[in-house]
Amino acid sequence: QVQLVESGGGLVQAGGSLRLSCEASGTISSITAMGWYRRAPGKQRELVAGVTSSGVTNYANSVKGRFTISRDNAKNTVYLQMNGLKPEDTAVYFCNAQLYLMGSIVSNAYWGQGTQVTVSS
């Protein structure tokens, strides 16, 4: 019913930039929050950044000042602009959306399949 498709991952040198995109599609009534999480090798998944439907954002301390999350509500798409990348940013990045399906009064969380970001030193 719902798909979250991510793109934009890849290999980049330290100090470089990448832009991730995630588009939600399906029988969606509305999307409340969207965000990006990441899971580094040997670590638990962590929140990187989130944005509400009204544009309120929050960031992990480790990425503040380097990453910017934005959202296009008309396109059901969330973006993550990553600048000043560091080797410790290497991880699989997952898109997340908290949304209502058409005809539903309960929201649920959906996840993308993940996209690999590798930062070389």
Side-chain angles (χ1 to χ4, degrees):
Q1 287 179 310
V2 174
Q3 279 192 316
L4 272 62
V5 179
E6 299 133 335
S7 61
L11 173 65
V12 65
Q13 288 188 330
S17 298
L18 285 173
R19 189 189 193 213
L20 305 182
S21 299
C22 171
E23 180 180 6
S25 63
T27 54
I28 299 169
S29 174
S30 64
I31 303 177
T32 54
M34 299 187 81
W36 291 94
Y37 290 71
R38 67 186 180 188
R39 185 174 64 233
K43 295 186 177 181
Q44 292 188 332
R45 186 168 56 190
E46 63 174 355
L47 174 68
V48 177
V51 58
T52 68
S53 57
S54 58
V56 176
T57 59
N58 65 294
Y59 295 91
N61 287 333
S62 59
V63 307
K64 283 181 181 177
R66 300 187 298 122
F67 291 9
T68 302
I69 190 169
S70 61
R71 177 173 169 174
D72 186 333
N73 290 331
K75 296 181 179 180
N76 287 341
T77 300
V78 63
Y79 307 94
L80 186 67
Q81 178 66 43
M82 305 185 292
N83 298 328
L85 282 160
K86 304 176 180 180
E88 51 264 43
D89 294 318
T90 295
V92 178
Y93 285 70
F94 297 88
C95 173
N96 171 271
Q98 187 76 26
L99 59 87
Y100 291 87
L101 295 176
M102 289 184 179
S104 176
I105 60 172
V106 177
S107 69
N108 288 288
Y110 292 84
W111 294 89
Q113 78 284 355
T115 185
Q116 177 70 45
V117 171
T118 302
V119 185
S120 63
S121 57

